[in-house]
Amino acid sequence: MTVRRVVPNIQTDAVEESREFYGLLGFEEVMNHGWIVTLASPSVPAAQVSVMTGDKTAPVVPDMSVEVDDVDAAYAAMRDSGAEIVHPLQDEEWGVRRFFVRDPSGRVVNVLGHR
C-alpha cells in the first residue's frame, strides 16, 4: 500500500474566511462540495489543506485525510490490528471509497482512495 497524500482537515464555520486566509499563503481552491473545501498549492498540488463545516455522511469531522492506493488493504490492516473503526468502509457519491479510524492519540483519520 502506498500513501498518495496527507491532508489536514480543519473544522470551521468560517469557510470563506479560511479560504481567503490560506489564499494569502498561495493556496487555491481545487474542490468545493459546500461542506468541505480543499485548497492546494498550484506548484505542489499534493500540498493541501481542507476546511469543513461538518462531514456529509460521517458522525465526526476527521482530523486528517490520508489517501492511499488500496483503501481495502488499509481497512483490512486497521481492522485486523484492532484499531477503532469510527466510520465504516463505504463508497461515497463524490467518487471516493473511505473509512475513519482512531489513532492511538485519539485523532480521527479519514483513509480514502479515489474510485
Side-chain angles (χ1 to χ4, degrees), residues 24-41:
L24 296 172
L25 295 172
F27 286 89
E28 296 179 354
E29 183 178 297
V30 294
M31 182 188 76
N32 186 336
H33 289 299
W35 55 274
I36 182 172
V37 174
T38 299
L39 308 164
S41 164

Side-chain angles (χ1 to χ4, degrees), residues 39-56:
L39 308 164
S41 164
S43 59
V44 184
Q48 299 180 352
V49 63
S50 290
V51 291
M52 56 195 314
T53 58
D55 194 282
K56 184 175 181 178

Side-chain angles (χ1 to χ4, degrees), residues 3-39:
V3 173
R4 293 187 171 163
R5 66 186 166 117
V6 177
V7 181
N9 298 318
I10 301 169
Q11 185 174 15
T12 182
D13 289 326
V15 172
E16 183 58 36
E17 294 88 341
S18 295
R19 179 190 356 237
E20 291 173 12
F21 174 84
Y22 287 102
L24 296 172
L25 295 172
F27 286 89
E28 296 179 354
E29 183 178 297
V30 294
M31 182 188 76
N32 186 336
H33 289 299
W35 55 274
I36 182 172
V37 174
T38 299
L39 308 164

Side-chain angles (χ1 to χ4, degrees), residues 27-91:
F27 286 89
E28 296 179 354
E29 183 178 297
V30 294
M31 182 188 76
N32 186 336
H33 289 299
W35 55 274
I36 182 172
V37 174
T38 299
L39 308 164
S41 164
S43 59
V44 184
Q48 299 180 352
V49 63
S50 290
V51 291
M52 56 195 314
T53 58
D55 194 282
K56 184 175 181 178
T57 64
V60 298
V61 171
D63 295 293
M64 75 172 72
S65 295
V66 177
E67 182 183 356
V68 296
D69 66 344
D70 188 343
V71 71
D72 291 289
Y75 179 77
M78 289 296 171
R79 184 195 62 221
D80 294 348
S81 78
E84 178 188 354
I85 304 299
V86 177
H87 182 64
L89 181 64
Q90 66 185 42
D91 294 325

